[in-house]
Amino acid sequence: QVTLKESGPVLVKPTETLTLTCTVSGFSLSNGRMGVSWVRQPPGKALEWLAHIFSNDENFSSTSLQTRVTISKDTSKSQVVLTMTNVDPVDTATYYCARIRIGTFVTYYVMDVWGQGTPVTVSS
Amino acid sequence: DVQMTQSPPSLSASVGDRVTITCQASQDISNYLNWYQQKPGKAPKLLIYDASNLETGVPSRFSGSGSGTDFTFTISSLQPEDFATYYCQQYDNLPLFTFGPGTKVDLK
C-alpha cells in the first residue's frame, strides 16, 4: 500500500523558514518512474503546485516561488523535504505531498497518491 | 508559464444531470492535461490523465476530451458522491505543473 504523510510545524512566524517533510511508504524514491510533488491550498482557495523531485534528484519549482523554495530527498529515509524561506501570512495553507507516477510507454506525469495534508499558519 | 482557466467557476446540478466543465490553456499543451476531484477537507483524487484516460478504479461516468488549448470534463450522470470541486492540471516538457482555478459542483 502506497502512503505519504506530511509533517512539520503548525505555526510559523513571518520571515522564518518553513521546513516540511514527506515520509513515503510502499514505493522507493529511487524508482525511476516515480517522483514526489508538493502542492498547497490556502483556506478556501485553489490548489497551487510548489515543487517536485525525481529519482535522479532532478527537481523543479514554481517560477513564482523558485527563489524561496527548495526541495530535496533522502532516499534511505524515504523522505522528501520542502523548505520555504521568508514566509508571509499569505503562505498560510494546507500543504500536501503527492506521488508522481510517470508513464511507461507514453510519457505522462500524474499525481496519483496524496498525503492527507498538513495545515500551516504563518502568524506572529 | 502556461496559465489555466476553468469555466464555470461553480455550477448547481441535480442527481442524474450531465455536467460539463471546460478548461483552457494559454498555449498549446498537446494532451498534457489531468483532472482531479477534491471534497472538502480531503486531498485531491486523480480522475483523468492525459486528457482522456480514466484512472484505474474511477467510475466510467467520468470522461475527458480535448487537445491543444481546449479541454472538456464530463460527468454523464451526476451521483450524490460527485458533489465536489474539480481541478484541471497541466504539465509541460520540463515538467512544470499548473492547476486551474477549480469548478465547484453543488446541489441545485
Side-chain angles (χ1 to χ4, degrees):
Chain A
Q1 182 188 6
V2 173
T3 64
L4 300 93
K5 186 172 178 59
E6 306 88 351
S7 58
V10 175
L11 181 64
V12 185
K13 289 182 168 56
T15 75
E16 290 185 340
T17 294
L18 170 66
T19 299
L20 296 171
T21 300
C22 176
T23 302
V24 311
S25 64
F27 73 100
S28 172
L29 296 176
S30 63
N31 186 323
R33 312 270 0 141
M34 304 286 174
V36 172
S37 262
W38 283 94
V39 174
R40 72 178 179 181
Q41 186 172 39
K45 296 189 177 181
L47 301 167
E48 179 184 15
W49 171 72
L50 302 176
H52 52 230
I53 191 165
F54 297 104
S55 60
N56 60 358
D57 286 330
E58 191 174 33
N59 63 90
F60 302 91
S61 57
S62 165
T63 54
S64 64
L65 291 168
Q66 62 185 9
T67 61
R68 298 174 52 215
V69 165
T70 303
I71 189 169
S72 61
K73 66 178 176 65
D74 185 330
T75 301
S76 64
K77 292 183 178 179
S78 295
Q79 292 180 333
V80 175
V81 176
L82 181 82
T83 59
M84 181 180 292
T85 61
N86 192 27
V87 296
D88 181 270
V90 299
D91 297 313
T92 294
T94 294
Y95 286 75
Y96 296 97
C97 61
R99 184 181 77 168
I100 299 172
R101 185 180 81 224
I102 303 171
T104 304
F105 301 107
V106 176
T107 298
Y108 61 75
Y109 298 88
V110 297
M111 291 175 279
D112 66 341
V113 184
W114 293 66
Q116 64 189 18
T118 187
V120 176
T121 298
V122 180
S123 174
S124 55
Chain B
D1 290 8
V2 179
Q3 305 301 316
M4 307 300 293
T5 57
Q6 280 183 243
S7 62
S10 65
L11 65 90
S12 297
S14 302
V15 173
D17 284 354
R18 182 181 183 88
V19 169
T20 299
I21 298 168
T22 62
C23 178
Q24 188 168 57
S26 60
Q27 63 191 62
D28 188 336
I29 59 170
S30 185
N31 64 333
Y32 301 159
L33 194 285
N34 305 321
W35 289 95
Y36 298 83
Q37 174 194 69
Q38 187 182 33
K39 297 181 180 180
K42 300 295 186 182
K45 174 186 176 184
L46 175 67
L47 300 179
I48 302 285
Y49 66 96
D50 265 10
S52 61
N53 294 290
L54 194 67
E55 175 71 351
T56 301
V58 174
S60 59
R61 64 181 181 273
F62 297 100
S63 65
S65 64
S67 67
T69 60
D70 296 303
F71 301 86
T72 301
F73 172 80
T74 301
I75 308 173
S76 60
S77 178
L78 195 67
Q79 298 302 300
E81 61 269 29
D82 299 338
F83 293 100
T85 299
Y86 294 86
Y87 293 93
C88 61
Q89 173 251 318
Q90 71 85 32
Y91 58 92
D92 63 18
N93 292 324
L94 287 180
L96 302 182
F97 293 176
T98 309
F99 284 96
T103 296
K104 184 177 181 180
V105 177
D106 62 21
L107 182 63
K108 183 183 292 182

